[in-house]
Amino acid sequence: MTNIEERAASLSEAQIAVHWREEEYISPGARFVGQANASDPAVYDRFGEANFPECFREYADLLDWDQYWHTTLDTSNPPFWKWFVGGKLNASYNCIDRHLATKSNKAAFIWAPEPEEDKTEVITYQELYRRVNEMAALLRDFCGLKPGDRVTLHMPMVPELPICMLACARLGVVHSEVFAGFSGTACGGRIADSGSRALITIDSYYRDGKLLDHKVKADEAVAVAHDHGVDIEKVLVWRRRPGEYLSAVPMQEGRDFFVDEVMKDYRRQEVAPVPMPAEAPLFLMYTSGTTGRPKGAQHSTGGYLSYVAGTSKYFLDIHPEDTYWCFADIGWITGHSYIVYGPLALGTTSVLYEGAPAYPDPGRPWRIAERLGVDIFHTAPTTIRMLRKLGPDEPAKHDYHFKLMCTVGEPIEPEVWRWYHEVVGKGEAVIVDTWWMTETGGFMGSTLPAVKPMKPGSCGPATLGVYPVIYDEDGKTVEPGSGRAGNICIRNPWPGIMQTVWGQPERFVQTYYARYCHDTSSKDWRDWPFLCGDGAVQAADGYYRILGRIDDVINVAGHRLGTKELESAVLTVPEVAEAAAVPVVDEVRGRVVEMYVALHPGRQASKEVEDKVKLAIETEIGKVARPKNVWIVPDMPKTRSGKIMRRVIASISNFTDVGDITTLANPDVVESIRRQVYQQKTERGEAPRELTPKELEEIRSFGHTD
Ligand code: WT7
């Protein structure tokens, strides 16, 4: 081994270099604090470790229980924790029926279709009650579904999606929504894994100005599930425009049914909500990508619903009279927790938008916000960067006022945070940066908005009743304020935690607990830290800065660089709108960094911009991180939930096959980036080099987003 390799090998994985600058605090305005659901710092004592697990009674008491529980937390079979044992409740009842007495004519959902000339649809709680009951009757009597059965939904952002979810919940049927942007093949794999007998889909939907044929994916999904040995008995097909069939593929006699036609037999039917044990699964949410067996995160009824209701109330500051818009897709966990279940449990109005953020122009979100009177706005850094890139001055032209804004999904660069705060939030809105993941059901890190000041780029302290720890590779605690990063874990169970990986309990234990549990026979939750899979650093004030997935690290000559801080450095260059760092295998230094950047509109790619990017990295991080190449590209390959697919550009940079790109929102950009990069690399005399199987695996899975 060379010296450098030895150094690299001796460095532990969690020792990610940390070069972030500490940012100044920003405090919420008095107007916000005055109306907030939680403004007394004493709430942190109520949720302190001394009061665990009973503190979570406060969340559970936000719900109506058919039968109150006798045991708050049962730890007898670690790490399969049971919350609110003995309790019974129905999620659909809690999200709908119990609001009817006081809010029957209040909007539960307001749906904005993508074509602007289409009518905005308002669904009151009364109407939601009617439609969910009818759908529940259809699922029970036409499809023969019983409590505990699974149903796969492959639905886009139309009101029929939450209606189906709530209809399943009413019956105790477990829903498994697969993000509509996923391919038929991906959907088929998830159908098979969950053992669903019914698939609910739609003929078509609008996205970015195009009407997409969606039913075609259902045929593919059913075929793939069949190959895996699982047969779908019924495919229920909604029609984007009832009465008109807008797909090119035929309906299959005896298998495919138009919901609007079958529904005629179920008009005005009512279905009593089935009281479900708190521990009954409410839904599955599949996490991993197109390779390997899919991983279905199983979420519970009582614990999950309590947790999303409580966190929606305190961290998103949702009051029933708010108009709340979470600009995410219900096909991922954010939408389940914070478009559907949390907001509806609190009886508020939740806005749904069908389409692409900047369609037909980047003023669209602000027109929706102004017209509907949105006062809480929730989105992801990728959307914020896109709107900043395409329409930096648009928010100022619209008369809306947000009291709170949320960012979620990846670390937000301080530059982008400041634009969000000053321009989108008009300097008035308080921001919560909520850190969590599919597995956790709800927020794990966030400032409590009226109690803790904001700090750009940091999510803040842990959420109420959550006690994290950062461990290094050897399981030693990394102290706050040490400036060192490590693997962030949660020491305790919380009600929103996933119950297991559907059908693979050993994988659940292996993935999340094997790393730091030293005594698998222990029945004490303190011996079972939950591995989140993110690198993090904790400042002396207790605020966490999330560096991204542990796998998103580039090791240059033994120096472990977090991709996010490289990208944040590059975003200080005024021309740059988006940046993504990837590793390139290098004979000498192990890995070197290549940087992909997209510029703000109207800015020209030039040698000068490339040099500025390199200089920004050198000054913010150091020479060691200086990128080998800077590729200025028209757009980044992204998943439909907006995350940059680093593995795709990493494959291009290493001259290897880009793998499956069917789940991309914009697969077309891949070929043009490939051509550009290959051509320039050839001109620079860089030749392909054969990668070892291990290197190939690292590159092909880099960034772990699928
Ligand atoms: C990963 C989980 C959270 C629901 C949507 C994504 C990253 C999420 C933040 C944040 C920094 C964040 C983490 C996490 N992440 N929120 N506020 N700051 N990073 O769910 O697809 O399961 O992804 O998203 O790396 O592990 P997911």
Side-chain angles (χ1 to χ4, degrees), residues 248-313:
V249 299
M251 295 286 280
Q252 195 166 307
E253 180 80 40
R255 186 197 74 182
D256 301 348
F257 302 89
F258 289 128
V259 181
D260 54 309
E261 283 177 0
V262 180
M263 190 66 92
K264 296 194 173 87
D265 298 336
Y266 298 92
R267 287 278 172 250
R268 285 181 297 282
Q269 292 216 7
E270 294 198 353
V271 173
V274 179
M276 297 300 290
E279 276 305 295
L282 179 62
F283 67 86
L284 306 179
M285 171 62 61
Y286 282 89
T287 59
S288 86
T290 42
T291 51
R293 181 166 170 197
K295 203 163 80 188
Q298 177 184 319
H299 282 287
S300 72
T301 306
Y304 171 83
L305 197 62
S306 302
Y307 196 71
V308 298
T311 49
S312 295
K313 179 165 179 178

Side-chain angles (χ1 to χ4, degrees), residues 332 334 409-411 433-438 534 546 549 643:
W332 50 318
T334 303
E410 58 175 314
D433 179 348
T434 57
W435 164 71
W436 58 298
M437 54 213 63
T438 304
D534 280 326
I546 304 300
R549 305 295 301 170
K643 290 189 183 177

